[in-house]
Amino acid sequence: MKKNLITLAIETSCDETSVAIMKNGRTVLANVIYSQIDIHEKFGGVVPEVASRNHVEKISQIIDQALEEAQVTFDDIDMVGTTYGPGLVGALLVGLSTAKALAYAMEVPLVPVNHIEGHIFANFIEYPDLEPPFLCLVVSGGHTHLVHVMDYGNYEIMGKTRDDAAGEAYDKVARTLGLGYPGGPKIDKMAREGNPEAIHFTRTYLEKDTFDFSFSGIKSGVLNYVNSARQKKEPLNLPDIAASFQASVIDVLTTKTIDAARKAGVDKVALAGGVAANSALRQALVDKCGQEGFEFFYPSLKLCTDNAAMIGCVAYYDYLSGIRGDLNTNAVPNLKIGDK
Amino acid sequence: MLVLGIDTSSSSASVALLDDGQLLGEVLVNSTKTHSQKLLPIIDQLLCNCDVKVKDLDLIGVATGPGSFTGVRIGLSTAKGLAHPFNIPLVEVSTLEAMGYNLVFADTLVCPIFDARRDQVYTRVMAWEQGLLKTIIADENCLIDELMDQLEALARPVTFIGDGVLKFETRLKERLGERAIMAPQNTRMPRGSSVAQCAFDKPENARRKYDDVKANYLRKSEAERTYEENQQAGQGAELSEKE
Ligand SMILES: [Zn+2]
C-alpha cells in the first residue's frame, strides 16, 4: 500500500476560490486562496451570481497554482475532496462540477465534504497532535454552532443560533455604523479603540440549560441605541458602540461555550470559522478557558477563513471511513453537520 | 480525432462523441433532474459504450451559452475539469450557433430562441449557404418584439427552434404569418452532436487551454445592473447639482 495519500481539495462555497494539496490529511503542501472580497465590497455583501461567475473563471488557474506550489502533478493525486454544502448553490456547483470531472478523468475517488466540518478540522491542521473529543465553537458569517466533536466523523450539535448568525449581526451593525462590508474585521478593529463597558447592551441567553444562541436581540439593541441617539442629535461614539456590541456578543459566546464544554465532559475547547479570526473573541476564550481549566485551540488566520486545506483534511478522514461521492453527487446548500 | 461535445445551457443535457466527423454516440436527457446529477452520468454512459477514456479525447467542444447561467457553468466547469489533467484542448461554442447544426442545410433562416424571461429571448439568426452556416444576426439578448421587428425586415421564411418556441409560437405566427415555421420537436433542443460538429469545424486557432475559456452569458447579473443604474443615477444627480 502506498504510504502517503495526496488529496486535491476544492472549496467554492461562498466568495473564496480555493484549492489545496494535502498530504495525509494534516500536512498542507499548498493552500491557494483567491478572495473575491474586493469584487463584492461595492455591493455591500456577497452577490451569489457574481461569486459563481468568478469561481468558474478562476478555478483552473488556482488548481495550477496549487499543484505548482505543492510540487506535485495530477499523477500524484490519490483523491479529490470538495465542498458540497452548506453554501451558495451556484458557487458550490462550480467547485463540485470541477472536482467531479477531475476525479472522473483521473479515475480517483471523489470525497464530498461538509464545509462546516471543514472549519472544525482547520484545528487538526493547526495542531498536528490534537485528537477528539473536544468542544468546538463554530462562528462564521452564516453559522453559529456549538459542536461536540466526539470522534472523526462523529458530531453532536449541542447548540446553534435560532436567528442571526454572529457574523450576520456583525455585518448589520457595521452597516448601521457606516463601517461598510465585511463587518467582522471592521468592528473588531474599531472596537480596539473603544470602551467595552461604555454601553450595556442586553445579552440574550434564552432558556436556562439551552446552548442555542440568539443575536437578533443584541443587534436590535444596537440599532435602537443608534437611532435614538441620532433622533436626539446626540453625538455617537462609534468605537464605544463597536466595543460594547462586541463585548455583549463575546460574553454570550464564551459563557455558552464553557457551559457546553462542561456538559460534554471534555477538557479541550476549539474555535473555528471566519469569525474565529476576531481578536477579541480569541482573547476572551484564551482567558476564560485558562481560568476554567480547559485547553484552548484556535486556527491561524489563514485557516479561519474559507480555504481548501480544511476541506482536504475532512476528505482524508472521511475517505478513511469509506465515504465516497459518485457521478450524480449534487450540491446541498443547507447541508447539516454530520449528514452524509 | 475524438471530439466530445457538451451542452447544458437549457433544461436538457446532451453529450456526443464524434470521430473524424463520424458520430459514435449521443445522449440527450431532458428531465427535471439537475445538470449536476445528469451530466457526468451521461458522459460516463457515452464513453463506456464507445470504449473511450477521457484521456483518449483530442478535443472537447463545450456550449458556453447563452442560456441558464448555472447550467452553462456546470457544463463549463465539467469540461474544464475533464480537460485539465490531460491538457485536452477546449473549443468554446455558442449554444445558439451549435443549434444551427440541428437544421443542417435548411433552406430558410434558422432562428433558435431561448426564453430569457420578462418577454426576452436569447437568439441568433443564421442561414445555410452552400454548405456553410452563415451568421445573419449574432447572439443577442432582446425582447421578442425586437426580434420579430428584425425578422420582418429580413423578409425571409424563418424556422424556429429552441425552448422559446413553445412559449412564443402564437405570437410569432401572428406577426410573421406563413414565414414563421416551427421546427419539429426532435430538432428543438441543443444537442451534443451539434456542439461537437461545430467545435470540429472551427479553425485550429479556436482551440483554447482549459483555463482560457469563458461563459457567454450575454447578460450581466441583476446586482451589477442595479449597481450600474444607481451609479449613473448618482452621477446624473451630481451633475444637475453643479449646473
Ligand atoms: Zn465558511
Side-chain angles (χ1 to χ4, degrees):
Chain A
M1 194 187 147
K2 197 176 158 188
K3 244 173 44 206
N4 288 320
L5 280 174
I6 307 292
T7 305
L8 183 150
I10 297 181
E11 153 63 36
T12 62
S13 66
C14 190
D15 62 339
E16 264 94 21
T17 318
S18 180
V19 177
I21 310 291
M22 302 293 289
K23 187 171 88 181
N24 293 335
R26 292 198 184 198
T27 308
V28 182
L29 301 182
N31 186 19
V32 182
I33 305 169
Y34 164 71
S35 173
Q36 304 174 6
I37 200 149
D38 298 342
I39 297 170
H40 296 277
E41 199 167 8
K42 68 177 183 192
F43 302 114
V46 177
V47 179
E49 176 59 24
V50 174
S52 308
R53 289 184 179 200
N54 280 286
H55 285 312
V56 78
E57 266 190 38
K58 277 284 182 304
I59 186 97
S60 304
Q61 285 162 254
I62 307 295
I63 293 170
D64 275 340
Q65 267 183 47
L67 291 169
E68 197 184 318
E69 236 181 84
Q71 298 271 302
V72 300
T73 68
F74 281 111
D75 290 337
D76 302 312
I77 304 298
D78 297 300
M79 69 179 110
V80 178
T82 181
T83 308
Y84 75 115
L88 306 168
V89 67
L92 286 166
L93 281 169
V94 174
L96 177 65
S97 304
T98 309
K100 282 169 69 176
L102 281 173
Y104 176 72
M106 293 191 282
E107 303 184 36
V108 299
L110 171 79
V111 185
V113 170
N114 179 311
H115 178 81
I116 303 298
E117 291 173 24
H119 276 304
I120 298 173
F121 277 52
N123 282 290
F124 292 130
I125 300 172
E126 191 71 43
Y127 303 94
D129 299 324
L130 175 65
E131 295 288 340
F134 56 88
L135 190 282
C136 190
L137 170 65
V138 190
V139 261
S140 72
H143 312 275
T144 311
H145 288 295
L146 276 169
V147 183
H148 180 192
V149 181
M150 292 175 280
D151 201 349
Y152 301 102
N154 190 2
Y155 321 101
E156 184 201 348
I157 299 169
M158 298 182 66
K160 58 178 186 296
T161 184
R162 289 188 190 167
D163 40 56
D164 295 351
E168 284 171 272
Y170 267 89
D171 281 342
K172 283 176 195 160
V173 167
R175 206 170 303 152
T176 307
L177 299 182
L179 300 180
Y181 171 87
K186 301 211 157 143
I187 288 184
D188 193 22
K189 192 166 167 225
M190 177 152 277
R192 280 176 221 160
E193 285 137 43
N195 173 10
E197 279 154 26
I199 310 145
H200 183 83
F201 296 116
T202 310
R203 278 76 169 145
T204 313
Y205 289 98
L206 302 171
E207 314 85 71
K208 200 172 175 291
D209 294 333
T210 183
F211 297 112
D212 283 351
F213 300 96
S214 165
F215 293 106
S216 71
I218 298 176
K219 178 194 73 191
S220 312
V222 177
L223 306 195
N224 290 341
Y225 176 88
V226 170
N227 287 338
S228 92
R230 276 182 186 151
Q231 262 168 18
K232 291 185 228 154
K233 301 220 158 53
E234 286 169 5
L236 286 172
N237 184 328
L238 294 187
D240 279 356
I241 299 173
S244 301
F245 160 71
Q246 175 147 287
S248 65
V249 172
I250 289 173
D251 256 5
V252 176
L253 287 173
T254 50
T255 307
K256 294 220 175 220
T257 302
I258 297 295
D259 289 351
R262 226 177 256 133
K263 176 91 183 284
V266 295
D267 52 12
K268 288 175 280 194
V269 170
L271 180 61
V275 182
N278 184 291
S279 65
L281 176 59
R282 283 174 182 231
Q283 196 51 51
L285 278 166
V286 168
D287 295 346
K288 198 87 178 237
C289 286
Q291 287 160 22
E292 308 284 337
F294 291 99
E295 207 180 343
F296 178 56
F297 302 85
Y298 58 94
S300 53
L301 291 180
K302 191 179 175 182
L303 290 171
C304 285
T305 51
D306 289 352
N307 69 89
M310 67 187 199
I311 302 306
C313 184
V314 181
Y316 173 77
Y317 287 98
D318 278 358
Y319 172 83
L320 292 184
S321 55
I323 290 164
R324 304 285 185 273
D326 56 28
L327 296 176
N328 46 39
T329 298
N330 202 3
V332 184
N334 50 7
L335 184 70
K336 306 281 183 297
I337 297 176
D339 282 3
K340 291 289 172 216
Chain B
M1 189 164 97
L2 273 174
V3 186
L4 176 71
I6 301 177
D7 191 310
T8 51
S9 34
S10 68
S11 60
S12 66
S14 182
V15 295
L17 199 58
L18 284 189
D19 191 8
D20 284 324
Q22 184 195 339
L23 182 64
L24 295 183
E26 178 168 35
V27 187
L28 187 151
V29 180
N30 190 5
S31 67
T32 51
K33 274 190 183 173
T34 65
H35 287 314
S36 173
Q37 295 166 300
K38 281 190 290 214
L39 181 57
L40 219 40
I42 62 171
I43 290 176
D44 183 51
Q45 185 193 335
L46 176 68
L47 296 189
C48 283
N49 276 319
C50 298
D51 252 329
V52 168
K53 298 263 187 204
V54 175
K55 65 172 187 312
D56 304 328
L57 299 172
D58 297 298
L59 197 68
I60 299 178
V62 57
T64 55
S68 144
F69 296 163
T70 303
V72 164
R73 279 191 290 269
I74 290 174
L76 195 52
S77 306
T78 303
K80 287 170 83 169
L82 294 174
H84 199 157
F86 312 109
N87 213 349
I88 302 164
L90 291 174
V91 174
E92 301 172 327
V93 174
S94 155
T95 307
L96 299 166
E97 183 186 0
M99 288 184 74
Y101 282 76
N102 288 19
L103 292 178
V104 182
F105 305 154
D107 60 1
T108 64
L109 295 173
V110 177
C111 179
I113 42 174
F114 281 127
D115 181 13
R117 287 192 291 256
R118 279 179 269 169
D119 232 27
Q120 293 185 40
V121 289
Y122 296 121
T123 190
R124 177 185 181 113
V125 181
M126 293 164 280
W128 284 97
E129 287 171 14
Q130 279 138 12
L132 291 174
L133 185 62
K134 294 272 157 63
T135 305
I136 309 294
I137 298 171
D139 290 5
E140 62 178 351
N141 171 204
C142 63
L143 289 165
I144 184 72
D145 285 332
E146 287 167 353
L147 171 66
M148 291 191 295
D149 291 344
Q150 291 171 315
L151 290 172
E152 200 156 50
L154 288 169
R156 290 173 59 182
V158 193
T159 307
F160 292 96
I161 48 181
D163 70 5
V165 172
L166 272 180
K167 184 168 175 185
F168 296 113
E169 182 170 359
T170 319
R171 286 170 71 183
L172 291 166
K173 280 184 173 157
E174 263 172 31
R175 177 79 182 273
L176 303 168
E178 287 188 346
R179 283 210 294 262
I181 303 155
M182 305 303 144
Q185 291 285 356
N186 66 311
T187 59
R188 280 190 199 170
M189 298 313 278
R191 308 199 73 117
S193 55
S194 296
V195 174
Q197 186 66 49
C198 197
F200 182 74
D201 287 351
K202 297 251 181 211
E204 209 148 320
N205 65 13
R207 295 177 193 173
R208 303 263 176 274
K209 212 178 144 200
Y210 51 81
D211 68 346
D212 198 23
V213 286
K214 285 196 168 59
N216 169 26
Y217 299 108
L218 275 199
R219 207 194 244 193
K220 288 185 172 164
S221 70
E222 192 77 50
E224 282 170 302
R225 272 177 290 158
T226 313
Y227 178 80
E228 279 163 19
E229 278 161 25
N230 290 344
Q231 288 292 101
Q232 274 166 4
Q235 275 165 8
E238 260 175 44
L239 280 174
S240 58
E241 265 169 43
K242 274 177 201 158
E243 285 161 11

